[in-house]
């Protein structure tokens, strides 16, 4: 065949250039080789990582054994000391009684599962997905979550401890897996129910049934079981008798448990609808915590847990030595003052209202925020709720100084453009509608419906004129007032601390301790730091780190000191003259809650800030009651018994220390102007602070300072 016989003349074939090297058969695959190498490397790393994880899992499973019950499973005592090292109290009478699972009603068991792990009977001992999800939520700030199953919680309670460390979590993981293989679900659930902490020093479901409902676990009904199950999330916080301000959260958690039972088919919709919240009985404390000791221990425990120093379950496990900031001499002086001015005068047999009288008080050192004394009630074993830390009574007019502080801090002006100073005139007419407020009309009444006409801010503070301070709150801006109160020390979570004109009248329900901390900020020229109740704490000889208390300038010195200047006048010539028994320069403010359900006096010297409240509460129902007729008086107001307690305590607490005057740096315009002529017939008003002839046209009352100061 000729060379051209197999070739078409129209083919596209071209002869190879003889000067170029011959092509390699794999040239087309060369660009793919780096990608293949990367894939092979990644696959190798993945396989290696899998082998390492498998090896680590196998090693952990083989090396970690199920240990005997830990020492913390049997709680120890905690020792509490005064600041000087003298004994204050010792707790630790552990309330625990184990029961068999078949003694726990089925509905109660199911309530616990609805609260903690609804698929417990079908799920594995550990849930890695939940653990990763909880860790991610914690890291990303969505709230701290455990991700632990009931089995893991039982392991932590009985075999390990509550410390948040990686090594403990790793041990918990492997022990839970082994326990899930070696024990039945019923055994694990029984152990969990007998070791869980329910608050009130009650360990286990039987102790909880006794502590909250005064009955054995076998007698619990579904609603009661659901409430006890709710407590597992936050035992003390959800105890509605000791923390009535958290009742809504506790009830919401109770609803969550019951709804979960319906979802799982464990409770019929009809039974769910018929269920009513089962209020627990009043807590009964151990006699070792009688008198003030129980209140002080309770406040210290809440301080430790609220500030993340020790978690509640670990603290309940005992073994801690806690030195408090409380001083025994001042504590005794406070108790004596309340005994003298209130307790010794109660006569419930002849005066039924005396049954309602409760007293709370707290004293704080302005220099460092340390709580030096506290009065929680007549006796911890009789009245379990701490009246010094509860947050369910209105603070009344003791809130008004914060409005004026906010005015100075923000350089506020009246509706007419006048700077707000102690001598700025306001219309004190009763029921005067506030101006410049875009919300619902607001026209608060003055006490006893008194009208004062034009009156200076200082005099309006002396007389606690609601019409003036409601208008001032609008002039300053209710949001500014709220921010200033929080900066001074009132918690932002305080109920009814709302940015509206009514904020000036003290509708908020801050605690006595909260208010003492805020007034201590004023006494410290506007410097504030979180109050403290603990000097040092150790466990088994090992010191526990306490958070540092960084003091900051919460408001300007001029704002704090100018407020102090007008509060001095309250004690010298206003509604708080009974506090003069302290015998030294003092500033303060009286306050009365709505319907006279509480009367307050909040005051301070340069060395000590103290707040006293007398509250009305029915001992049977726990409802708030008016104090009309209590202590043999038609009315109990802040300038009466609370101011008397304050004066008596302050005198004794500071006995032996030289009296100090306030060193004040006032805002521009706060110096006293020339005293205007006193209108005819108004002398009695200046002397007594009562409304009288000429009140409608009166200017600021002259300052009346005790001689020799």
């Amino acid at each position: 065949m000729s060379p051209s016989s197999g070739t078409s003349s129209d083919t596209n074939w071209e002869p190879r250039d003889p000067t170029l090297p011959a092509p390699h058969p794999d040239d087309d695959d060369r660009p793919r080789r780096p990608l293949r190498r990367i894939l092979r490397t990644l696959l190798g790393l993945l396989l290696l990582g899998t082998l390492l994880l498998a090896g680590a899992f196998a090693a952990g499973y083989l090396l970690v054994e199920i240990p005997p019950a830990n020492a913390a499973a049997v709680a120890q005592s905690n020792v509490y000391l005064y600041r000087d090292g003298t004994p204050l109290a010792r707790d630790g009478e552990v309330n625990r009684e184990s029961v068999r699972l078949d003694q726990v009603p089925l509905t109660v068991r199911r309530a616990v599962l609805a609260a903690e792990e609804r698929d417990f009977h079908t799920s594995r001992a550990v849930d890695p997905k939940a653990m990763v999800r909880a860790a991610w939520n914690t890291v990303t700030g969505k709230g701290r979550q455990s991700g632990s199953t009931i089995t893991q919680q039982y392991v932590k309670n009985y075999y390990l401890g509550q410390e948040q460390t990686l090594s403990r979590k790793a041990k918990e993981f492997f022990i839970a897996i082994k326990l899930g293989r070696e024990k039945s679900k019923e055994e694990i659930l029984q152990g969990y129910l007998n070791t869980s902490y329910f608050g009130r020093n009650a360990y286990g479901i039987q102790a909880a049934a006794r502590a909250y409902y005064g009955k054995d676990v076998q007698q619990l009904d579904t609603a009661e079981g659901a409430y006890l199950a709710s407590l597992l999330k936050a035992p003390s916080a959800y105890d509605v008798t000791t923390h009535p301000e958290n009742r809504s959260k506790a009830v919401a958690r109770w609803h969550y448990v019951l709804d979960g039972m319906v979802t799982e088919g464990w409770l019929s919709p009809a039974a769910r609808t018929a269920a009513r919240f089962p209020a627990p009985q009043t807590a009964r404390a151990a006699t070792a915590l009688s008198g003030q000791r129980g209140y002080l221990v309770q406040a210290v425990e809440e301080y430790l847990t609220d500030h993340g120093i020790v978690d509640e379950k670990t603290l309940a496990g005992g073994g801690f030595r806690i030195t408090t900031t409380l001083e025994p001499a001042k504590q005794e002086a406070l108790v004596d003052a309340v005994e003298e001015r209130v307790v010794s005068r109660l006569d419930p047999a002849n005066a039924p209202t005396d049954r309602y009288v409760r007293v709370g008080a707290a004293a704080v050192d302005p220099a460092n925020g340390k709580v030096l004394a506290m009065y929680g009630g007549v006796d911890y074993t009789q009245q379990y709720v701490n009246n010094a830390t509860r947050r369910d009574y209105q603070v009344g007019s003791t809130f008004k100084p914060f409005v004026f502080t906010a005015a100075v801090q923000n350089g506020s002006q009246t509706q007419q453009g006048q700077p707000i100073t102690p001598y700025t005139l306001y219309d004190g007419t009763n029921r005067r509608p506030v101006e410049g407020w875009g919300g619902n009309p607001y026209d608060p009444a003055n006490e006893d419906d008194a009208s004062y006409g034009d009156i200076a801010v200082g005099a309006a503070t002396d007389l606690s004129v609601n019409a003036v301070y409601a208008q001032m709150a609008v002039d300053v801006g209710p949001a500014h007032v709220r921010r200033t109160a929080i900066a001074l020390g009132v918690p932002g979570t305080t109920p009814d601390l709302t940015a509206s004109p009514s904020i000036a009248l003290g509708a908020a329900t801050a605690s006595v301790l909260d208010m003492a901390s805020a007034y201590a900020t004023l006494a410290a020229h506007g410097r504030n730091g979180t109050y403290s109740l603990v000097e040092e704490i150790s466990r088994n000889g090992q010191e526990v780190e306490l958070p540092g208390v960084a003091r900051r300038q919460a408001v300007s010195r001029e704002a704090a000191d100018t407020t102090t200047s007008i509060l001095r006048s309250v004690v010298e010539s206003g509604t708080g003259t009974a506090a003069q028994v302290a015998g030294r320069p003092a500033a303060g403010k009286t306050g009365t809650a709505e319907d006279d359900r509480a009367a307050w006096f909040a005051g301070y010297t340069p060395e000590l800030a103290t707040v006293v409240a007398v509250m009305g509460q029915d001992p049977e129902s726990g409802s708030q009651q008016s104090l009309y007729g209590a202590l043999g008086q038609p009315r109990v107001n802040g300038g009466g018994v609370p101011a008397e307690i304050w004066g008596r305590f302050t005198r004794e607490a500071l006995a032996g220390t030289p009296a100090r005057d306030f060193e004040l740096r006032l805002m521009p315009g706060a110096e006293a102007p020339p005293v205007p002529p006193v209108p005819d017939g108004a002398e009695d008003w200046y002397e007594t602070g009562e409304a009288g002839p000429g009140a409608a046209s009166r200017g600021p009352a002259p300052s009346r300072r005790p001689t020799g100061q």
Side-chain angles (χ1 to χ4, degrees), residues 425-706:
L425 293 179
Y426 270 92
D427 185 351
T429 302
N430 186 52
R431 292 287 185 184
R432 173 188 175 277
V434 297
E435 299 175 0
W437 172 244
N440 293 328
Y442 189 62
D443 57 344
N446 295 328
E447 186 171 3
D448 297 328
D449 290 322
S451 285
Y452 301 93
D454 287 343
I455 184 171
V457 168
T461 307
D462 289 351
L463 298 171
S464 205
V465 182
N466 290 338
V468 170
Y469 268 89
Q471 182 62 59
M472 192 189 304
V474 173
D475 295 346
V476 176
H480 285 307
V481 174
R482 185 179 189 276
R483 282 194 291 271
T484 299
I486 294 171
L488 291 170
V490 177
T493 55
T494 300
D496 296 323
L497 185 63
T498 56
S500 67
S502 64
I503 194 172
L505 277 58
T509 58
S511 73
V512 168
L513 182 55
D514 294 333
M515 295 299 286
S517 180
Y519 271 71
T521 304
L522 295 175
H525 308 293
R527 288 186 62 77
N528 182 35
T530 305
Y531 70 81
S532 60
L533 263 166
V534 176
E535 284 278 333
E536 58 184 41
I537 177 173
S538 62
R539 191 183 199 191
N540 300 324
Q542 191 76 23
E543 290 292 324
V544 177
E545 184 177 359
L546 293 173
V549 180
R551 297 187 67 77
R552 58 185 175 80
Q553 198 69 37
V555 297
S556 70
R557 176 164 182 169
E558 288 76 11
D561 287 0
T562 308
T563 302
T564 297
S565 72
I566 65 173
L567 295 185
R568 288 204 63 179
S569 181
V570 172
V571 175
E572 293 163 0
S573 58
T575 56
T577 55
Q580 292 178 10
V581 72
R584 56 182 64 222
K589 185 69 187 75
T590 58
T592 306
E594 188 176 1
D595 297 327
D596 282 17
R597 294 175 181 174
W600 297 68
F601 185 81
Y604 51 94
T605 67
E607 310 91 343
L608 189 64
T610 306
V611 175
V612 180
V614 177
M615 310 166 182
Q617 181 177 23
D618 189 302
E620 279 80 33
S621 68
S623 61
Q624 295 186 12
Q625 297 293 328
S626 297
L627 290 169
Y628 298 120
L631 298 168
Q633 301 178 13
R635 298 177 65 178
V636 176
N637 54 42
V641 170
E644 293 169 5
I645 294 172
W646 186 95
R648 163 79 155 70
F649 163 70
T650 302
R651 183 187 68 201
E652 298 302 320
L654 298 179
T657 62
R660 289 170 48 198
D661 206 345
F662 292 98
E663 298 177 1
L664 304 180
R665 185 185 301 163
L666 305 183
M667 68 177 293
E671 298 296 336
V675 178
V678 179
D680 292 339
E683 292 85 353
D684 291 342
W685 182 87
Y686 282 108
E687 294 297 330
T688 65
E690 299 295 335
S697 61
R698 182 166 43 251
S703 175
R704 296 182 179 272
R705 301 194 184 280

Side-chain angles (χ1 to χ4, degrees), residues 68-392:
N70 63 22
V74 180
Q76 308 169 61
S77 296
N78 289 323
V79 177
Y80 297 82
L81 307 173
Y82 282 109
R83 190 176 182 180
D84 63 0
T86 56
L88 191 165
R90 178 188 294 269
D91 70 0
E93 295 182 12
V94 179
N95 183 14
R96 187 199 306 274
E97 181 181 352
S98 296
V99 294
R100 300 188 312 274
L101 188 63
D102 60 9
Q103 293 177 279
V104 182
L106 180 60
T107 56
V108 176
R109 283 180 262 162
R110 286 175 167 173
V112 171
L113 297 181
E116 297 296 301
E117 187 182 353
R118 297 178 184 179
D119 59 350
F120 168 75
H121 284 290
T122 58
S123 65
R124 297 180 179 179
V126 296
D127 186 349
K129 290 183 179 179
M131 294 173 67
V132 172
R133 182 172 61 250
W136 175 254
N137 288 339
T138 300
V139 170
T140 56
K142 295 181 180 179
R144 188 173 181 176
Q145 300 178 13
S146 69
S148 297
T149 63
I150 281 179
T151 304
Q152 288 174 274
Q153 293 182 59
Y154 172 50
V155 168
K156 179 173 62 175
N157 292 342
Y158 192 72
Y159 295 104
L160 299 174
Q162 305 297 324
E163 62 271 19
Q164 297 293 326
T165 63
L166 289 175
S167 60
R168 197 273 294 163
K169 292 294 290 183
K171 290 179 181 178
E172 174 188 301
F173 181 86
F174 291 110
I175 293 172
I177 292 175
K178 286 192 172 183
L179 206 66
R181 292 171 178 263
E182 297 181 14
K183 291 185 178 291
S184 67
K185 290 286 188 179
E186 288 70 26
E187 289 176 298
I188 292 172
L189 182 58
Q190 176 177 295
Y192 175 74
L193 291 174
N194 282 322
T195 58
S196 293
Y197 182 63
F198 290 82
R200 297 193 182 184
N201 202 33
Y203 289 85
I205 191 72
Q206 165 64 11
R210 277 283 167 193
Y212 288 88
Y213 294 109
K215 60 178 68 172
D216 290 327
V217 66
Q218 297 96 316
Q219 300 169 310
L220 291 174
D221 61 28
T222 303
E224 293 165 342
Y227 177 69
L228 295 184
S230 302
L231 291 171
L232 290 167
K233 181 179 182 180
S236 293
Y238 285 176
D239 187 340
V240 295
T241 64
T242 58
H243 285 284
E245 70 274 12
N246 290 343
R247 181 182 177 89
S248 60
K249 294 180 181 179
V251 172
R253 181 68 177 172
W254 178 76
H255 283 303
Y256 167 82
V257 173
L258 290 177
D259 290 340
M261 295 180 71
V262 173
T263 300
E264 296 298 321
W266 298 334
L267 184 67
S268 69
R272 168 68 184 91
T273 302
R276 295 293 179 268
F277 183 75
Q281 65 185 12
T282 301
R284 294 179 175 86
T287 56
L289 298 179
S290 61
Q292 294 303 303
R293 291 190 295 272
Y295 299 120
L296 301 179
V297 167
Q298 183 190 72
V300 170
E301 288 180 344
E302 290 183 357
Y303 175 82
L304 291 171
T305 56
D306 290 348
H307 289 78
I309 300 167
V310 181
D311 70 82
E312 186 176 349
K313 292 181 180 179
T314 301
L315 185 62
F320 289 93
R321 182 180 180 86
I322 303 163
T323 302
T324 72
T325 60
L326 300 163
E327 297 185 357
K330 290 182 174 61
Q331 181 65 33
E332 183 179 0
L334 184 55
V335 173
D336 289 346
V338 177
E339 290 282 339
E340 177 188 291
R341 305 311 303 163
V342 175
V343 178
S344 65
R345 298 164 61 187
L346 294 174
D347 185 15
N350 297 310
T353 309
D354 281 358
R355 297 186 305 113
Y356 302 150
V357 175
R358 304 285 183 268
V359 179
V364 175
D365 186 343
N368 49 39
K370 293 180 179 179
V371 181
L372 304 180
M374 180 184 295
Y375 186 92
V378 66
D379 190 315
Y380 187 67
T381 62
Q382 298 176 34
Q383 297 175 12
Y384 191 70
V385 178
N386 190 337
N387 295 322
T389 58
R390 66 191 302 169
R391 293 189 177 109
D392 57 339

Side-chain angles (χ1 to χ4, degrees), residues 413-434:
Q413 298 179 342
T414 67
Q415 296 290 307
Q416 293 73 38
Q418 298 297 316
I420 299 176
T421 75
Y423 297 96
T424 302
L425 293 179
Y426 270 92
D427 185 351
T429 302
N430 186 52
R431 292 287 185 184
R432 173 188 175 277
V434 297

